[in-house]
Amino acid sequence: MQSGNDLPSDRRAEYFGQCAVMMLNALRQENDADPFSEVTSVDLSAETEPGHEGIYDQALSNALAAIVAAEWPGKEANGEGRVHFARRLLKVIAEEIRPDPATGLCVIPDRDADVRSRWEKENRAPEGFWDTRIDVALLTDALNVSGLARHGSGTGRLQHRHVHALLALDHHPALRTLLAAQSDRDDERAQGEDARSAGQARALLELIGDEEAKRRADSAENPNEYDPRHNPDGHDFEECPVCGYETFCVQGLDMWGRVGFGQCVVCSYRRSPRVADQEGFGEHLAWLMGND
């Protein structure tokens, strides 16, 4: 891994996105709470796996280094080329931007406001939406809090407001990786769940044997069968990719209308909407290439 000032900003942005997604998911896992709620007193350490303080610090350090390097080139590192720690980078920002007296935030205006596409201008977000709002005081407090756990001095009580302040940094054009990182993580999770479902289905088939599987297939009734009056959105059975029987109950189709998601009534294999979208996209691309 590169060290010092050699790490390019796009890699810093990538590391930020990967770590920030973990913190966002920590909020989502917290009793299914709204990750963008105004609750500020939750102790994440009671709900998530140990080590999230280090993940938070890594996300913050990479984000601040990328932002400072983009806004004030050279000030992200010392005279020897070593990137400053997050605490020092926050001081650089506070020195370069006078905090808003009303909110205490250091605001970096959206530098892309004049070069956005016509669609973006016509359907633009509220004024100032893409400005980067940096809460130096709150992020410094987060470093103090996370340091307790990292240095063995306490549990570390990162709160919603600390995570929100971290995620707000993604508005800066040097970052903007959170959505892509979340999508990649969701895709990976969906593929993992699909593999587990297929494995469980194969184990079930081995347990019940071929004769019982065939009996189930022969007697299977489609609970979601198409009916022009009672269920116009229903679908006929499709072939299950695991057991091979035409007993896969389709509950819906991917966004291109090519691959169904649902569950097999014989082996119980389940395909999620996200996996259906992934497979449907592949089939759609193949169709486009074949008709080019």
Side-chain angles (χ1 to χ4, degrees):
M1 182 180 294
Q2 291 169 294
S3 60
N5 199 32
D6 297 330
L7 192 64
S9 286
D10 60 341
R11 292 294 290 165
R12 292 171 182 152
E14 181 181 347
Y15 290 145
F16 160 76
Q18 292 170 346
C19 295
V21 161
M22 295 182 187
M23 298 308 304
L24 176 59
N25 287 342
L27 296 185
R28 288 176 168 174
Q29 293 167 7
E30 190 180 284
N31 299 323
D32 295 325
D34 177 4
F36 298 106
S37 70
E38 295 301 319
V39 178
T40 62
S41 60
V42 177
D43 176 9
L44 293 180
S45 64
E47 301 290 341
T48 59
E49 295 182 2
H52 61 271
E53 296 87 2
I55 295 172
Y56 184 98
D57 285 10
Q58 183 178 354
L60 180 58
S61 296
N62 279 284
L64 295 176
I67 291 173
V68 172
E71 296 292 333
W72 308 283
K75 292 196 174 184
E76 76 280 9
N78 61 21
E80 298 176 352
R82 294 183 62 84
V83 176
H84 292 304
F85 292 124
R87 194 178 300 274
R88 174 56 189 155
L89 291 170
L90 286 169
K91 290 182 179 179
V92 170
I93 293 171
E95 291 168 357
E96 295 292 334
I97 303 177
R98 184 181 298 275
D100 185 297
T103 65
L105 302 176
C106 296
V107 181
I108 300 177
D110 176 20
R111 68 172 67 159
D112 297 329
D114 297 330
V115 295
R116 297 196 181 280
S117 67
R118 178 179 177 182
W119 185 92
E120 287 179 302
K121 291 179 180 179
E122 293 177 351
N123 300 274
R124 68 178 184 176
E127 190 72 27
F129 177 82
W130 282 112
D131 293 348
T132 307
R133 295 171 175 80
I134 305 176
D135 194 329
V136 171
L138 184 54
L139 291 172
T140 301
D141 181 64
L143 290 173
N144 295 334
V145 167
S146 64
L148 295 175
R150 290 187 298 104
H151 300 300
S153 301
T155 60
R157 296 182 62 86
L158 284 171
Q159 300 174 352
H160 276 207
R161 58 198 183 105
H162 295 131
V163 179
H164 290 319
L166 172 71
L167 301 180
L169 301 179
D170 192 57
H171 274 223
H172 194 276
L175 300 176
R176 297 182 183 172
T177 57
L178 188 56
L179 287 178
Q182 182 67 61
S183 179
D184 290 344
R185 189 173 176 84
D186 287 345
D187 284 345
E188 183 178 347
R189 180 180 290 114
Q191 287 295 335
E193 292 174 351
D194 189 72
R196 284 190 293 273
S197 179
Q200 292 170 350
R202 284 190 288 269
L204 176 62
L205 290 171
E206 185 176 351
L207 177 66
I208 65 177
D210 294 340
E211 185 176 338
E212 173 61 15
K214 186 177 185 308
R215 187 195 68 78
R216 293 186 181 190
D218 291 340
S219 61
E221 295 184 3
N222 187 354
N224 192 35
E225 188 174 10
Y226 169 80
D227 184 281
R229 292 181 58 188
H230 304 294
N231 192 18
D233 295 326
H235 300 274
D236 294 333
F237 271 146
E238 291 186 358
E239 182 178 310
C240 174
V242 176
C243 68
Y245 290 110
E246 198 166 310
T247 52
F248 187 80
C249 180
V250 178
Q251 297 172 307
L253 298 175
D254 72 285
M255 63 182 67
W256 292 276
R258 298 181 179 277
V259 176
F261 58 85
Q263 188 169 21
C264 177
V265 299
V266 170
C267 69
S268 296
Y269 164 70
R270 183 188 298 273
R271 181 191 291 136
S272 70
R274 194 169 190 92
V275 169
D277 281 345
Q278 292 171 349
E279 296 184 6
F281 179 65
E283 291 192 12
H284 184 64
L285 282 182
W287 178 82
L288 289 175
M289 294 176 65
N291 288 273
D292 190 2

